[in-house]
Structures are given as structure tokens and as C-alpha cells.
Amino acid sequence: MITAYCVREGALTGVPVTPDSTLPPDTIWIDVLRPSEAEDDLVESALGIAIPTRDEMIEIEPSSRLRLENGAIYLTGSLVCHSEDERPTLSAVTFILARHRLVTLRYDEPKPFRLVTAELGRGCPADMTGERLLMELLDTIVDRAADIIERLSAHIEALSERIFDREARTDQNQRYRALLARIARLGDLASKVRESLVSMARIFTFLAAEGELKAMSKDQKTALKSLQRDATSLTDHVSYLGDKITFLLDATLGLVSIEQNNIIKIFAVLSVVLMPPTLIASIYGMNFEHMPELALTWGYPAALIAMLIAAIVPYWIFKWRRWL
């Protein structure tokens, strides 16, 4: 699906484009979502550029993601999608600057795109260009990453309180399973946000270098430097959150080990407590002809009392030594 955005009546207006039609002459942004081969050909013929395939977009080497080709700048970054869902995803998005027009190629629907189209749809400068649109998108992407990190930080704090809550009355097995599942989801989201920020930081560095060659405006250079600082700061912060998630994981596994040790300790104590009575019962269960206690009236009660004392004494010793 192709949507051509133009500035009309002071607002950014999207016009659907089919492979059988042509792009409006005042188009400044061409948003390509899950394109077909015919849609790729339309954009390529209209702008004289090559549209990368999906396999080329997910390549990790910088030379494939960031390049200058035939006067067009190709920038590919990874954006976090569906961050509010249980399973967030990381999707590659390619930005192409050619002839003062911006082309975005994507196979998912990151929220920054909806935010930018909604904001500029309410009001857009008449002199808007592809370069300025790219800066708007990049700035919104960083802001969105910051929002995700803030929400992630709040979830980690709430999770920390749950882990160290000594008054929890729920079943411990279910509680620890829920905690581990929650830690895994937060860790996955943190790693995706960090990967996204790293890819965006590379874009900012590359674009700043190319901007020097293409004589970017002073405001755009300042904005790029600000975005670089923000990306670096957010990357450091999400790395700290990742370390905190690792600490919470270790703490949870430590609590699980303590619970397991308590269970094993109970079995060990029971074994020690029952060992002397078992020994006494074994002695009096032997089939010897001459056992004096067998002929006495008080023999059986005495054996029971001896077994009881033999069980109580080890238990008392364990309590006295504070092993229980």
C-alpha cells in the first residue's frame, strides 16, 4: 500500500496511490507499507531510486543499512512495535531521501508514524520538505522510545516490590512462575528498545556526516546533535534497566533456591528425627530368645517412651542451634 502525503490547505494530507496511478506532483512523503512488486516499480520509476527488499532491510552490516547511492540517502533502523502487547516486536524501517522527498518503507505499523501523520494533519508548514519530515519522524521515534523506557522503568519498580513482598499470601509456585514470566517479558522489551536506539544512533551519526556534505541547515544540524545526545542518554538508561532486570532475575532465582532449600531441610530434619526411633524399633523387632524387656509388663511402654525421647531430643537440639 502506498500513501502519498502532500501539504494542502495548511495540513499534511494523505492520498492513496495504486500501481495504475501516478504520484501527485506536490508529494513530499511517500509511505510504502508492505509493498507489492508493482508498487515497488511505481516508486522506483517515479523517483529513479532502488527500493530495497525486505531481506536487504534486515541485514545487520552498516554498509547495507546506511549508504549514499545515486544522490539518495538510504537509512534503515529498527523500531519497536506493539510495545504495549505481551509480545513486542522489532521491525526494520527504511528512510530514503531523494530529490527533497522522503520515502519510508516498512512492513509493520510503528506508533511514531501515526503520531506524526496525526500531528501534521492538524497543521503543517507550507514549506515542509522531505528533510524536515525525516527530522520530525526521527524526533518522534526518540520520544516514543523515551516513553517506552519510562513505562518500562515503572513496571520494573512495581515488579521489584512484588518480588520482595514478604507478606504475599499467594501460592509460592504460581507466584514465582508469574514473576519469572514477567521478568522475561520486561527483559525482552528492554533489549528490543536498546537495539532500536543503537540503530537510530547510527542513523543520526551517518545523517550528520552526510548532512555536512549536503549543507544541512543550522537548525537541522542542531536537531541532529540533540537527537544524538538523547539517543546516547536513553541507551545508557535502558542498559541500566537491563542490569536491574538481571538483578531481579537473580533475586527471584535466589528466593526459589531458598524455598527449595527449606523443603529439603524439612526432609533432612525428619530423617534425623526419625532415625533414633527407627533404630530402637529395629532393636526390639529382632527375634532373639533372650530379650529381658519382652517378658516385662512395662517393656512395651518403655520402648515407646524411648522412641519419643529419641525423636524429641534431636528436634530440640536443631531448634537450640537455630538450624530450624
Side-chain angles (χ1 to χ4, degrees), residues 114-256:
R114 298 196 300 270
L115 296 175
V116 170
T117 54
E119 180 182 355
L120 296 181
R122 293 188 294 267
C124 181
D127 58 347
M128 179 65 73
T129 61
E131 288 81 1
R132 292 181 62 181
L133 260 174
L134 176 62
M135 296 303 299
E136 288 285 342
L137 278 170
L138 296 179
D139 184 63
T140 306
I141 289 170
V142 173
D143 288 343
R144 177 61 179 163
D147 294 339
I148 296 175
I149 292 174
E150 290 174 2
R151 191 175 70 253
L152 179 64
S153 179
H155 287 324
I156 291 175
E157 289 299 325
L159 180 63
S160 178
E161 293 179 2
R162 288 179 57 191
I163 290 175
F164 299 107
D165 182 11
R166 295 186 177 182
E167 298 181 358
R169 294 292 181 265
T170 57
D171 179 77
Q172 292 300 327
N173 289 332
Q174 295 181 357
R175 176 171 177 264
Y176 288 134
R177 288 184 181 181
L179 288 174
L180 289 173
R182 186 62 178 163
I183 291 173
R185 286 194 292 268
L186 293 179
D188 179 55
L189 178 59
S191 65
K192 284 181 169 58
V193 173
R194 187 178 186 280
E195 184 176 348
S196 174
L197 287 170
V198 169
S199 69
M200 298 310 298
R202 292 173 180 170
I203 286 179
F204 301 150
T205 302
F206 181 84
L207 190 59
E210 294 302 327
E212 294 293 339
L213 298 176
K214 299 176 74 66
M216 294 178 65
S217 67
K218 183 178 180 180
D219 291 341
Q220 290 175 338
K221 295 176 184 177
T222 303
L224 271 177
K225 291 180 180 179
S226 177
L227 287 175
Q228 285 177 301
R229 290 193 297 267
D230 290 343
T232 301
S233 176
L234 291 175
T235 301
D236 293 339
H237 188 66
V238 79
S239 297
Y240 158 74
L241 293 180
D243 294 339
K244 192 169 184 179
I245 291 173
T246 302
F247 163 73
L248 293 179
L249 175 60
D250 294 339
T252 303
L253 293 177
L255 292 174
V256 171

Side-chain angles (χ1 to χ4, degrees), residues 269 271-277 307-321 323-324:
V269 170
S271 300
V272 174
V273 169
L274 295 177
M275 189 180 301
M307 285 189 283
L308 182 61
I309 294 174
I312 292 175
V313 169
Y315 180 79
W316 179 81
I317 293 175
F318 275 53
K319 292 288 290 185
W320 177 63
R321 297 296 300 270
W323 292 345
L324 291 178

Side-chain angles (χ1 to χ4, degrees), residues 295-313:
L296 299 176
T297 305
W298 51 265
Y300 178 68
L304 292 179
I305 293 174
M307 285 189 283
L308 182 61
I309 294 174
I312 292 175
V313 169

